[in-house]
């Protein structure tokens, strides 16, 4: 059968419902995070092919239902409108349907519609029974029950879209009451099923358990990420080292010119390998766990409980999701800010995310803090002391992040519109293979690819400065000499400050670059272990002052080039991108200068 091109508009009461609709209509079942990520695709496995558009919406809480207002601004009228709603909250979907039918758009040009009732299997398990035949007779449009599995209901939905496109219904005499219709077609559970559903959701919204559970799961998420990353880093490093030796052997076998090999390895390969070695282990653990919490509906409940705290600092509850993601990757955290509906809070969250360390900076902190606590000591201190110092520095970064958000909301962002919109999704069983793993793999490939791409300019610049000489002295050595007086005012030295500047495209290369300059080694495997870092730094005159200033500058430094590119893409303004780059840098410079002055005064 020849494919019929159809433009399908997707709408619903929550982004989760629209995302599920998209995945059922798209034969590839790609994971998408928000309105800007809807993809134009051809469903070649079905007689119906189509492009999918997103119809914007706003939310507000109205008694027992969420009322959703369909936007009047769309690029072009769609051929078919797919309306998604949750079976457990069918009444709010009927409110949305009634609002759509009463809009002027449908009175001028009726658009064929399909009502998709999702999570029917979960609602049935909880004792919620729906009379779909009566619902379809009243509405006179196809009503498709869909289960939580992505593949379930795929053919029925495609067939319904093709049918209503060929036989558009009439809406002239359609007039119904959502409350009355919901009472007639829905039979609510009694006894244990209702008690389980109530207990599952009330546990996350209760003041005591709703406040303790998010903190516990956040601690568990971070502990599993960084403890597991420490175990994975060694095998990842050795695998990448073998790849380096293999490529070197291949180029040597074909007698490649030495300058070309130096450029390929020192300028391109080594920065990419260091970025992958630092980012891959924590991402492999963090992203599946974060996607699991997201698909289970836990993050929306955590945002609900965290909103009073963040509101007092000029933010909103959805910012906690971006902050949690920012501890893994700033680029992903800025993209996570798309979930914040309010322009003021979304902008404040995107600009203050770099105040907290990402996985690349966290690796540097975990390597520098043991050195900082044991300088001058006869033996290494207990790991609990290092953990307490690390938590102290993280709390310092969180305090500056909240302070910067409050300052921005009261000054530069005060003219931006502000409101709080939250879809409190029901807790549900996560879909591991349909949603969690595809989402984690997509984010992993995207973040690693972008970070590796932006590390190449840093590597080429470092190779050029170290290989070109003027007056018998390399350009890199001259840069170090030029920056040494400024670095001394900050409690650092010229090598460290140069490494921070050259590592702006990719923060993951700062620590190995510093050790490589100190040891005059340019190999990927030359410096890796913390013991190597410690011996190299001690041999070059590091003290408590140097270590403390280096930690503070690591905590408050310019975001990587990938994060800045994402911030510019999200905000659409160079001015805000520059502000996001300079806000943490100014705080870091001030703290380092203050630390150096206190050290000189007392010592």
């Amino acid at each position: 059968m020849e494919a019929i091109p159809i433009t399908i508009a997707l709408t619903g009461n929550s982004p989760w419902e629209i995302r599920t609709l998209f995945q059922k209509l798209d034969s590839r079942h790609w994971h998408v995070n928000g309105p800007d990520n809807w993809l134009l695709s051809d469903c070649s496995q079905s007689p119906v092919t189509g492009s999918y558009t997103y119809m914007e919406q706003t939310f507000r809480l109205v008694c027992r239902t969420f009322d959703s207002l369909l936007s009047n601004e769309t690029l072009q009228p769609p051929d078919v409108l797919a309306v998604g709603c949750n079976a457990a909250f069918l009444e709010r979907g009927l409110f949305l349907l009634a609002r759509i039918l009463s809009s002027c758009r449908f009175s001028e040009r009726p658009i064929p519609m399909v009502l998709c009732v999702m999570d029917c299997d979960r609602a049935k398990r909880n004792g919620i029974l729906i009379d779909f035949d009566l619902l379809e007779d009243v509405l006179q449009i196809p009503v498709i029950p869909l289960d939580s599995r992505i593949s379930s209901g795929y053919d029925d939905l495609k067939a319904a879209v093709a049918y209503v496109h060929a036989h558009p219904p009439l809406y002239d005499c359609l007039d119904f009451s959502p409350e009355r219709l919901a009472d007639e077609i829905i039979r609510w559970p009694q006894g244990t099923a209702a008690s389980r559903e109530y207990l599952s959701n009330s546990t996350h919204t209760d003041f005591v358990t709703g406040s303790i559970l998010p903190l516990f799961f956040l601690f568990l998420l971070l502990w599993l990420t960084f403890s597991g990353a420490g175990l994975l880093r060694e095998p990842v490093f050795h695998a990448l080292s073998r790849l380096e030796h293999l490529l070197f052997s291949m180029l040597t076998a074909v007698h490649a010119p030495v300058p070309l090999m130096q450029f390929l390895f020192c300028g391109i390969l080594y920065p990419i390998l260091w970025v992958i070695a630092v980012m891959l282990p924590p991402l492999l653990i963090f992203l599946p766990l974060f996607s699991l919490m997201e698909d289970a509906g836990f993050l929306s409940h955590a945002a609900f409980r965290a909103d009073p705290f963040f509101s007092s600092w000029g933010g909103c509850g959805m910012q906690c999701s971006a902050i949690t993601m920012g501890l893994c990757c700033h680029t992903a955290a800025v993209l996570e800010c798309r979930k914040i509906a309010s322009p003021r809070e979304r902008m404040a969250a995107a600009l203050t995310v770099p105040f907290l360390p990402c996985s690349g900076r966290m690796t540097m902190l975990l390597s520098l803090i043991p050195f900082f606590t044991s300088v001058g000591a006869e033996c290494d201190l207990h790991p609990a002391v290092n953990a307490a110092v690390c938590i102290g520095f993280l709390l310092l970064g969180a305090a500056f992040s909240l302070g910067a958000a409050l300052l921005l909301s009261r000054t530069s962002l005060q003219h931006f519109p502000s409101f709080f919109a939250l879809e409190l999704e029901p807790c549900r069983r996560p879909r591991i293979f349909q949603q969690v793993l595809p989402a984690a793999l997509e984010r992993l490939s995207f973040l690693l690819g972008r970070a590796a791409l932006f590390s190449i300019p840093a590597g080429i610049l470092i190779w050029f400065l170290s290989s070109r000489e003027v007056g018998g002295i390399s350009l890199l050595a001259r840069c170090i000499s030029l920056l040494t007086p400024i670095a001394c005012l900050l409690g650092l030295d010229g090598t460290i400050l140069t490494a921070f500047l050259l590592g702006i495209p990719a923060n993951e290369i700062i620590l190995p670059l510093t050790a490589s300059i100190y040891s005059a080694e340019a190999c990927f495997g030359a410096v890796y272990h913390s013991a190597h870092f410690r011996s190299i730094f001690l041999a070059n005159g590091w003290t408590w002052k140097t270590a403390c200033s280096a930690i503070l500058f690591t905590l408050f430094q310019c975001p990587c080039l990938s994060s800045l590119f994402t911030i510019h893409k999200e905000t659409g303004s160079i001015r805000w991108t520059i502000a996001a780059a300079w806000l943490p840098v100014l705080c870091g410079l001030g703290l380092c200068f203050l630390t150096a002055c206190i050290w000189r005064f007392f010592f």
Side-chain angles (χ1 to χ4, degrees):
M1 185 184 297
E2 185 179 356
I4 305 172
I6 299 177
T7 301
I8 307 171
L10 310 178
T11 189
N13 288 101
S14 72
W16 174 81
E17 294 168 357
I18 301 172
R19 183 171 65 240
T20 304
L21 271 180
F22 177 84
Q23 291 171 334
K24 288 185 178 294
L25 286 168
D26 186 8
S27 59
R28 288 165 291 191
H29 300 163
W30 287 355
H31 174 80
V32 287
N33 294 322
D36 296 336
N37 290 57
W38 296 128
L39 307 174
L40 299 180
S41 60
D42 292 330
C43 301
S44 56
Q45 299 179 3
S46 170
V48 179
T49 65
S51 60
Y52 309 115
T53 59
Y54 177 86
M55 303 187 75
E56 293 185 359
Q57 52 194 335
T58 57
F59 307 98
R60 68 176 184 268
L61 183 62
V62 180
C63 299
R64 294 185 302 161
T65 64
F66 279 86
D67 193 6
S68 179
L69 179 62
L70 186 66
S71 172
N72 290 324
E73 298 295 332
T74 54
L75 296 178
Q76 60 181 3
D79 296 324
V80 176
L81 176 62
V83 182
C85 61
N86 195 298
F89 304 95
L90 183 57
E91 185 178 348
R92 70 183 185 187
L94 296 178
F95 268 99
L96 171 63
L97 188 64
R99 184 65 60 90
I100 294 174
L101 292 172
S102 63
S103 64
C104 60
R105 179 181 306 279
F106 288 89
S107 61
E108 295 173 357
R109 179 186 179 274
I111 298 178
M113 282 190 297
V114 176
L115 180 63
C116 306
V117 184
M118 293 174 285
D119 264 1
C120 292
D121 55 340
R122 182 177 181 274
K124 187 176 181 179
R125 286 197 303 268
N126 291 329
I128 302 175
L129 301 179
I130 302 173
D131 190 346
F132 292 104
D133 294 333
L134 177 59
L135 179 62
E136 188 166 320
D137 290 340
V138 173
L139 298 179
Q140 295 298 310
I141 61 174
V143 178
I144 308 299
L146 302 173
D147 293 343
S148 57
R149 292 176 289 113
I150 295 296
S151 58
S152 174
Y154 176 84
D155 295 331
D156 293 339
L157 180 57
K158 286 297 188 76
V161 169
Y163 177 80
V164 297
H165 181 255
H167 308 87
L170 300 177
Y171 306 108
D172 295 337
C173 302
L174 184 59
D175 186 17
F176 66 94
S177 171
E179 300 96 334
R180 191 181 308 163
L181 181 58
D183 292 337
E184 292 178 359
I185 66 173
I186 303 175
R187 191 171 69 187
W188 297 98
Q190 302 292 333
T192 57
S195 301
R196 286 197 306 266
E197 182 72 11
Y198 174 78
L199 180 63
S200 173
N201 289 280
S202 62
T203 302
H204 294 82
T205 55
D206 182 72
F207 178 78
V208 178
T209 58
S211 302
I212 295 175
L213 281 177
L215 293 177
F216 171 75
F217 281 113
L218 174 61
F219 172 78
L220 183 63
L221 175 64
L222 297 179
W223 179 75
L224 290 175
T225 297
F226 293 108
S227 61
L231 300 176
L232 291 177
R233 190 166 285 115
E234 191 79 21
V236 169
F237 174 79
H238 287 300
L240 295 176
S241 297
R242 290 190 176 186
L243 177 61
E244 174 201 2
H245 294 311
L246 178 62
L247 294 176
F248 182 81
S249 302
M250 293 174 58
L251 291 177
T252 304
V254 298
H255 304 287
V258 175
L260 177 62
M261 292 181 62
Q262 291 179 346
F263 170 75
L264 292 178
F265 279 84
C266 298
I268 298 179
L269 183 62
Y270 291 157
I272 294 178
L273 292 182
W274 266 113
V275 167
I276 295 177
V278 173
M279 289 188 64
L280 184 59
L283 287 178
L284 281 176
I285 302 175
F286 182 89
L287 291 180
L289 293 178
F290 186 87
S291 301
L292 185 71
M293 295 169 60
E294 182 182 40
D295 193 58
F298 175 79
L299 293 180
S300 62
H301 290 78
F304 175 77
R305 292 305 319 162
D307 182 67
F309 173 76
F310 282 99
S311 297
S312 62
W313 291 92
C316 70
M318 293 299 295
Q319 191 173 348
C320 67
S321 176
I323 289 178
T324 305
M325 180 63 80
L327 292 173
C328 182
C329 180
H330 289 160
T331 302
V334 176
L335 295 176
E336 195 72 16
C337 294
R338 290 177 175 177
K339 296 181 179 179
I340 303 176
S342 171
R344 181 190 300 175
E345 281 72 18
R346 181 171 63 247
M347 184 73 72
L351 296 180
T352 56
V353 157
F355 278 89
L356 287 170
C358 61
S359 60
R361 296 188 197 175
M362 188 66 73
T363 303
M364 296 175 60
L365 289 176
L366 296 178
S367 300
L368 293 175
I369 285 176
F371 173 81
F372 165 72
T373 56
S374 59
V375 172
E378 296 181 357
C379 60
D380 292 338
L381 298 180
H382 195 274
V385 178
N386 297 329
V389 174
C390 181
I391 292 175
F393 279 109
L394 290 179
L395 291 177
L396 179 64
F400 272 83
S401 176
L402 294 174
L406 180 62
L407 180 64
L408 288 171
S409 63
R410 300 293 173 82
T411 55
S412 302
L413 300 178
Q414 62 179 345
H415 300 297
F416 280 62
S418 175
F419 54 87
F420 179 64
L422 173 66
E423 173 69 18
L424 194 59
E425 299 177 0
C427 296
R428 55 185 175 269
R429 183 181 302 173
R431 298 164 294 178
I432 305 295
F433 297 102
Q434 297 91 350
Q435 182 70 22
V436 175
L437 291 182
L441 290 176
E442 182 189 357
R443 284 170 169 163
L444 178 64
S445 59
F446 172 77
L447 296 176
L448 279 181
R450 178 170 286 188
L453 177 64
F454 282 103
S455 68
I456 295 177
I460 294 176
L461 179 60
I462 294 169
W463 169 80
F464 177 80
L465 293 177
S466 59
S467 61
R468 294 295 181 269
E469 295 183 354
V470 177
I473 302 176
S474 65
L475 293 177
L476 184 60
R478 291 188 177 274
C479 291
I480 294 173
S481 301
L482 182 64
L483 294 174
T484 297
I486 303 176
C488 291
L489 295 176
L490 303 175
L492 304 170
D493 61 18
T495 301
I496 307 172
L497 188 57
T498 303
F500 275 113
L501 294 178
L502 293 177
I504 289 178
N507 296 156
E508 292 80 7
I509 69 175
I510 294 177
L511 190 61
L513 176 60
T514 305
S516 298
I517 296 175
Y518 278 143
S519 59
E521 294 282 354
C523 180
F524 169 69
V527 288
Y528 172 68
H529 296 286
S530 300
H532 294 170
F533 291 139
R534 179 175 179 179
S535 60
I536 292 171
F537 294 156
L538 284 174
N540 287 270
W542 273 46
T543 61
W544 266 321
K545 178 191 69 172
T546 311
C548 183
S549 298
I551 292 173
L552 289 174
F553 210 76
T554 299
L555 192 61
F556 301 101
Q557 63 171 309
C558 181
C560 65
L561 199 58
S562 175
S563 302
L564 293 177
F565 176 79
T566 306
I567 292 174
H568 174 67
K569 186 177 179 181
E570 294 297 313
T571 60
S573 171
I574 297 179
R575 180 169 64 95
W576 291 117
T577 306
I578 296 175
W582 275 102
L583 278 174
V585 171
L586 292 177
C587 295
L589 292 176
L591 288 176
C592 289
F593 180 74
L594 181 62
T595 302
C597 291
I598 294 175
W599 181 272
R600 295 189 191 98
F601 181 78
F602 287 101
F603 302 98

